[in-house]
Amino acid sequence: MCGIVGFIGKDNGVEFLIDGLNSLEYRGYDSCGIAGIVDEKTKVIKTVGRIKNLEELTSEDLVFNIGIGHTRWATHGGVNKTNSHPHQSFNERFTLVHNGVIENFSELKEEFLSDKKMISETDTEVVVQLIEVFAREGLSTKEAFLKTISKLHGSYALCLIDREDADTLYVAKNKSPLLIGLGQNCNYVGSDALAMIKYTNKFLEINDGELVTVKADSVLIEDKNGVKIERSPFTPNIKYGEIDKGVYEHYMIKEINEQAFAMRNIISEYFDGHDVKMDQEIIDAVKEADRLYVIGCGTSYNAGQMSKEYFEKWAGIPTELHLASEFAYNLPLLSKKPMFIFLSQSGETADLRAVLTKLREVNPTYKVLVLTNVDASTLSRESDYTLLLHAGVEIAVASTKAYTSQIAVLSILAYQVAKELGKAPNLDLEKELSVVTTAIESILDDTKEIKELTDKLFTERNAFYIGRGADYYSSCEAALKLKEVSYIQTEGFAGGELKHGTIALIEDNIPVVALITKSEFDLSTRSNVSEVASRGAKTLVITLEKLAKEGDYAIPNVHETLAPIVSIVVTQLFAYYAALGRGLDVDKPRNLAKSVTVE
Ligand code: M6R
């Protein structure tokens, strides 16, 4: 993970560097720093903790016409100022920021730097020291940078400055995301477009293996043999302002509240009247597959689980779910005509990129569709097809509106595929998604009861969510949400499985929340609730109005197949209020980052 920025131009770039890092803080927030060249010397300012600490160290008269910045999610070496970026070479000529992991940094250290005592414990420092080693051999900065890169194994987005040349930023990437922003009399570098959108809406993509030389008035992209590459800029579908918290105290609660809006967007993007409006090539690719492999991580994986409900039950296409981090290294037996569906809010997740690389090696003709919230994200650019979630920018580390949007978009795709395969599901999906939207709104209209329930329920160190079928999948997501923001150890369980071992953990006051959104599971899940209640658990059932009994939390009636989109909202609010009640940093839980760009 980590976020990097760079600036070169006639004006002062300090404001951009700080703003850019603030936008990228979701990628890591252990420490941060900036560096720039002033009067032929490089000034480096670093600190442990958040960007606001860095701002306090940045005086108003600081002027950088060339500068780089970094916000860190520690991978190599502890969280301290020495390990923070930017890192400098021994003679302080070269200064570098890096996002990614250099897998062979120990070997490189052994081969080229064995007589040197490194300053930090990081893999990044080896890169900048190597550049100095090669420059001392007489290579130009560009040649030394290129030679260094040719020796690196792993993932990197790099931005380098040279004290002896205040007119150039040297930029390269492999697997880690990085974009160039085109300004007027200046240019920008950033891990994503959001970091630069306040300053420009014109961006240049960089591909793995390219070397980019950025000056105030030019950007030169070359391949590793020095051949110039022409590339047109693109404008992503985001606007400055979308990334404000608005009237909300936290991004998480803002994004929970935006779910009805996201549903409306999805309906208008993917329906034309009651007919589905979607790229026919994508529908055909899914129709032709004999098996779907749905792959994701974390919340996206949990959303993917729901795809079985739609692709298998509506369209009759066998559907397997896989965790990306497992799939890439433990390839399952693939069917004759597989189709791969990747789910990724950010479109940058390294574990999924590893799956893509693996699939391209196994069979370059395999088709990959990505469902992502980020237009022009790396996975979207590298896969065969993209379906956008249209949920609006998601900033909080805990994913909420992307989850419900992923389920909605999956349902639309499966619905259309089923229809074209002559297996039309017995519902008007456009209408039913509108009912879902209204149901979400009605929950969000009055959250007082949910807040009170949170305070009553989640008083212990542990908690459980249980359910069957789709409600089991929702339980996994509800548990992930609660644990990642409130640090309450929570498990999502298939209701019937508790008695096979885990029920041993139930003792007085342990909260067990049951999700029941399907009539067929009402009796069986309620009997699981009785089993834990009789062993002292504090229980709550979240169910549809039509199934509700006294003491349950009732959500409005919606089509049962789509009900998980609604019930999850209650559990997202539980997570939010539980974290708030504990005085935690809701938007930036400890040890996490929004976009996980390391494997
Ligand atoms: O951007 P992605 O959807 O690929 O991210 C996958 C996970 O890292 C992400 O869903 C993570 O689990 C969230 N923190 C969950 O809230």
Side-chain angles (χ1 to χ4, degrees):
M1 357 269 223
C2 304
I4 71 175
V5 286
F7 172 85
I8 184 151
K10 303 216 180 328
D11 297 329
N12 187 2
V14 173
E15 184 194 320
F16 163 73
L17 295 175
I18 298 289
D19 272 356
L21 290 179
N22 264 317
S23 311
L24 291 173
E25 209 179 30
Y26 72 89
R27 302 175 70 89
Y29 30 86
D30 292 333
S31 64
C32 50
I34 55 171
I37 303 171
V38 184
D39 299 333
E40 293 171 25
K41 289 201 183 77
T42 308
K43 188 171 175 55
V44 181
I45 306 168
K46 310 204 262 195
T47 179
V48 167
R50 302 291 168 86
I51 313 297
K52 63 176 176 344
N53 305 353
L54 186 67
E55 276 181 81
E56 283 163 18
L57 298 174
T58 315
S59 61
E60 276 182 14
D61 54 1
L62 183 70
V63 177
F64 286 167
N65 298 115
I66 177 167
I68 54 180
H70 187 274
T71 180
R72 179 171 189 241
W73 187 79
T75 57
H76 293 70
V79 177
N80 56 43
K81 198 169 153 189
T82 313
N83 288 333
S84 309
H85 299 223
H87 287 284
Q88 291 199 285
S89 62
F90 294 118
N91 62 8
E92 297 185 359
R93 178 175 163 190
F94 300 104
T95 307
L96 180 78
V97 286
H98 164 222
N99 164 32
V101 172
I102 307 300
E103 285 157 9
N104 60 335
F105 82 105
S106 304
E107 291 86 336
L108 291 172
K109 198 154 68 174
E110 190 67 32
E111 189 180 344
F112 296 99
L113 301 158
S114 57
D115 56 332
K116 299 274 194 313
K117 185 165 173 359
M118 306 299 281
I119 301 164
S120 73
E121 303 161 282
T122 63
D123 52 341
T124 305
E125 192 196 333
V126 173
V127 181
V128 76
Q129 303 302 8
L130 267 190
I131 295 168
E132 182 186 307
V133 167
F134 297 141
R136 279 179 188 279
E137 288 173 0
L139 297 187
S140 68
T141 304
K142 190 167 164 182
E143 289 163 344
F145 188 47
L146 256 180
K147 184 164 175 186
T148 302
I149 289 166
S150 72
K151 302 204 172 294
L152 305 181
H153 296 168
S155 57
Y156 54 80
L158 300 168
C159 191
L160 172 79
I161 54 175
D162 171 3
R163 186 186 55 195
E164 294 179 11
D165 171 13
D167 292 331
T168 317
L169 290 170
Y170 297 92
V171 175
K173 74 177 273 295
N174 185 48
K175 297 196 206 163
S176 299
L178 200 61
L179 288 173
I180 307 291
L182 302 176
Q184 284 183 339
N185 299 324
C186 66
N187 285 308
Y188 309 94
V189 178
S191 294
D192 67 23
L194 276 184
M196 300 176 268
I197 199 74
K198 182 174 162 193
Y199 297 84
T200 180
N201 64 359
K202 270 167 66 188
F203 298 95
L204 276 181
E205 221 180 273
I206 315 173
N207 290 335
D208 289 354
E210 294 173 345
L211 178 88
V212 191
T213 314
V214 186
K215 296 188 181 280
D217 53 3
S218 67
V219 177
L220 173 66
I221 308 177
E222 292 166 288
D223 71 10
K224 59 177 185 297
N225 303 313
V227 177
K228 186 176 172 188
I229 296 167
E230 296 293 345
R231 186 163 297 141
S232 308
F234 71 94
T235 298
N237 200 7
I238 42 173
K239 287 179 202 69
Y240 178 63
E242 264 186 271
I243 49 180
D244 274 357
K245 276 204 280 261
V247 297
Y248 296 97
E249 201 185 336
H250 299 101
Y251 282 111
M252 184 176 176
I253 191 68
K254 172 176 182 258
E255 289 159 7
I256 289 173
N257 273 280
E258 283 170 347
Q259 290 179 105
F261 180 68
M263 283 300 137
R264 274 201 201 93
N265 266 350
I266 289 169
I267 295 169
S268 87
E269 289 290 336
Y270 288 115
F271 284 95
D272 189 1
H274 294 292
D275 293 330
V276 171
K277 186 173 65 171
M278 200 176 261
D279 183 351
Q280 190 60 41
E281 253 193 81
I282 298 178
I283 294 160
D284 290 344
V286 177
K287 264 164 48 190
E288 281 157 21
D290 63 358
R291 186 168 282 262
L292 301 177
Y293 295 81
V294 180
I295 308 168
C297 310
T299 287
S300 292
Y301 171 82
N302 289 338
Q305 298 212 67
M306 219 57 83
S307 65
K308 282 177 86 67
E309 289 294 296
Y310 306 129
F311 288 111
E312 291 196 339
K313 296 190 179 156
W314 289 352
I317 306 177
T319 304
E320 287 183 18
L321 255 295
H322 290 275
L323 289 166
S325 53
E326 287 294 310
F327 192 99
Y329 299 98
N330 189 14
L331 198 71
L333 195 61
L334 298 176
S335 65
K336 280 209 179 81
K337 285 168 75 185
M339 162 88 190
F340 301 88
I341 302 183
F342 288 11
L343 299 181
S344 178
Q345 187 285 131
S346 62
E348 302 292 348
T349 300
D351 288 325
L352 270 170
R353 293 199 65 209
V355 176
L356 191 59
T357 308
K358 181 79 183 176
L359 290 175
R360 298 293 190 227
E361 274 165 28
V362 174
N363 186 339
T365 67
Y366 283 159
K367 293 291 179 232
V368 176
L369 160 69
V370 64
L371 267 69
T372 180
N373 201 25
V374 183
D375 192 14
S377 55
T378 307
L379 282 167
S380 164
R381 295 197 306 267
E382 293 178 351
S383 59
D384 300 285
Y385 315 108
T386 297
L387 287 176
L388 286 176
L389 301 180
H390 298 289
V393 179
E394 193 181 70
I395 306 265
V397 165
S399 183
T400 52
K401 61 179 179 172
Y403 173 81
T404 42
S405 302
Q406 280 166 334
I407 299 175
V409 175
L410 281 169
S411 76
I412 300 169
L413 174 62
Y415 177 76
Q416 187 59 20
V417 168
K419 264 172 109 176
E420 293 189 18
L421 288 173
K423 297 175 183 167
N426 190 18
L427 81 164
D428 174 345
L429 187 59
E430 193 258 347
K431 184 178 139 240
E432 296 302 344
L433 282 171
S434 301
V435 178
V436 160
T437 309
T438 316
I440 293 175
E441 271 167 350
S442 88
I443 292 172
L444 293 170
D445 273 352
D446 184 9
T447 55
K448 193 165 161 270
E449 185 187 350
I450 297 178
K451 187 166 181 325
E452 283 166 7
L453 281 169
T454 311
D455 296 342
K456 258 195 251 159
L457 273 171
F458 300 106
T459 52
E460 308 300 307
R461 283 277 305 128
N462 307 76
F464 290 89
Y465 277 98
I466 59 168
R468 287 168 184 251
D471 291 323
Y472 163 51
Y473 308 146
S474 303
S475 296
C476 297
E477 172 55 14
L480 175 59
K481 212 75 327 162
L482 184 63
K483 75 177 98 166
E484 77 176 314
V485 296
S486 74
Y487 314 149
I488 295 171
Q489 187 176 359
T490 318
E491 290 191 56
F493 248 81
E497 267 303 290
L498 273 181
K499 60 185 178 296
H500 295 290
T502 309
I503 201 163
L505 295 175
I506 301 296
E507 51 189 46
D508 281 351
N509 278 328
I510 294 291
V512 178
V513 179
L515 301 169
I516 307 175
T517 62
K518 285 225 161 80
S519 320
E520 60 181 303
F521 300 134
D522 188 24
L523 287 179
S524 50
T525 304
R526 281 188 194 277
S527 72
N528 299 138
V529 172
S530 306
E531 287 155 14
V532 291
S534 61
R535 287 164 177 83
K538 249 183 312 193
T539 61
L540 174 77
V541 172
I542 300 174
T543 189
L544 295 168
E545 261 162 21
K546 64 180 185 184
L547 301 174
K549 300 202 169 16
E550 207 188 319
D552 292 353
Y553 182 90
I555 60 170
N557 290 329
V558 293
H559 195 284
E560 291 191 4
T561 342
L562 301 172
I565 304 178
V566 182
S567 59
I568 203 71
V569 176
V570 183
T571 70
Q572 294 168 343
L573 288 163
F574 282 160
Y576 175 73
Y577 290 127
L580 207 61
R582 284 165 176 69
L584 298 172
D585 188 342
V586 181
D587 285 336
K588 295 193 176 92
R590 69 183 175 208
N591 305 338
L592 291 174
K594 179 73 177 161
S595 187
V596 187
T597 54
V598 291
E599 276 177 57

